Amino acid sequence: MTHAGRQRLKLLAFFAIFALPVAVAWGMVEWRIGIPEGRTAHGELQPSLPILSQWPLTAVEKDGEGDWLLAFDCPERCAERADRWWRLHRALGREADRVSRLRIGGGGEPLPGAALSQWTASPEWRSPHRLWILDPEGRPVLGYAPEVAASDVLDDLRRLLRLNPEPPMARYDQASSVVGGGTDGQ
């Protein structure tokens, strides 16, 4: 092979190195080969549910104003279910203070760190033993069936917290308003 032939071969190999990945990617998109399912959340998206302030509940309290909320409907066997979500809350580690828990229904005292509320009416979208994750503004984000694995909820919650970081000074702003008594600079 002559020198010019080797140079042409090198040039063709160079073009192939850059063109081959583009051709493979185009084929994957065109024929849907090797494309992941696209599922990222284990729960069901809940855009049709009303915001928390419109739920027919007695008073609802959250630990922090900017907290995400784990709300679970508990008409029976509340101690077992509450313990399950308490353990999940603890598994969040340092992010646990960004999440509050709300038990809806059931008798007895809630576990530490959880609030208790009751249904004043039963809405048509209510499903007993259901768990919802609500954003800091009270919008339902994800809903889970009663048999959901706690690890799936934990994965989703960690992902939501990672994708929606807390403002860097939020903890200090809350602490200074408590220490200062909330007196607006007086």
Side-chain angles (χ1 to χ4, degrees):
M1 181 179 278
T2 66
H3 179 71
R6 283 194 302 267
Q7 293 302 328
R8 286 185 187 134
L9 190 59
K10 286 180 186 178
L11 185 60
L12 287 174
F14 182 73
F15 284 137
I17 288 172
F18 290 103
L20 187 62
V22 172
V24 169
W26 177 81
M28 288 174 68
V29 169
E30 188 67 28
W31 294 301
R32 308 305 276 165
I33 298 172
I35 304 288
E37 182 183 325
R39 179 184 173 120
T40 55
H42 300 282
E44 302 163 12
L45 293 175
Q46 302 286 287
S48 62
L49 291 185
I51 62 172
L52 182 63
S53 63
Q54 295 174 352
W55 288 19
L57 296 173
T58 57
V60 175
E61 296 177 20
K62 292 193 319 183
D63 288 340
E65 189 177 307
D67 281 3
W68 288 76
L69 186 66
L70 277 176
F72 59 100
D73 189 354
C74 190
E76 59 191 32
R77 294 190 344 226
C78 290
E80 175 187 318
R81 294 184 187 283
D83 183 62
R84 180 181 185 199
W85 303 127
W86 178 83
R87 291 176 186 278
L88 176 133
H89 192 201
R90 296 294 105 210
L92 287 170
R94 64 185 176 138
E95 295 289 341
D97 62 341
R98 294 183 55 203
V99 178
S100 295
R101 290 185 329 275
L102 173 66
R103 185 178 87 194
I104 305 171
E109 290 295 314
L111 290 175
L116 180 61
S117 187
Q118 300 291 334
W119 292 108
T120 57
S122 184
E124 67 277 353
W125 48 264
R126 178 184 176 213
S127 177
H129 305 291
R130 191 139 178 94
L131 172 75
W132 297 277
I133 296 178
L134 291 91
D135 73 4
E137 283 139 29
R139 293 181 300 242
V141 178
L142 294 170
Y144 299 91
E147 64 276 353
V148 66
S151 61
D152 290 346
V153 177
L154 182 61
D155 288 344
D156 289 349
L157 194 52
R158 281 185 173 151
R159 181 175 172 87
L160 286 168
L161 292 172
R162 185 180 69 244
L163 293 175
N164 298 284
E166 182 177 42
M169 299 302 285
R171 294 177 205 246
Y172 300 113
D173 291 343
Q174 289 175 353
S176 66
S177 68
V178 170
V179 171
T183 58
D184 296 336
Q186 294 179 354

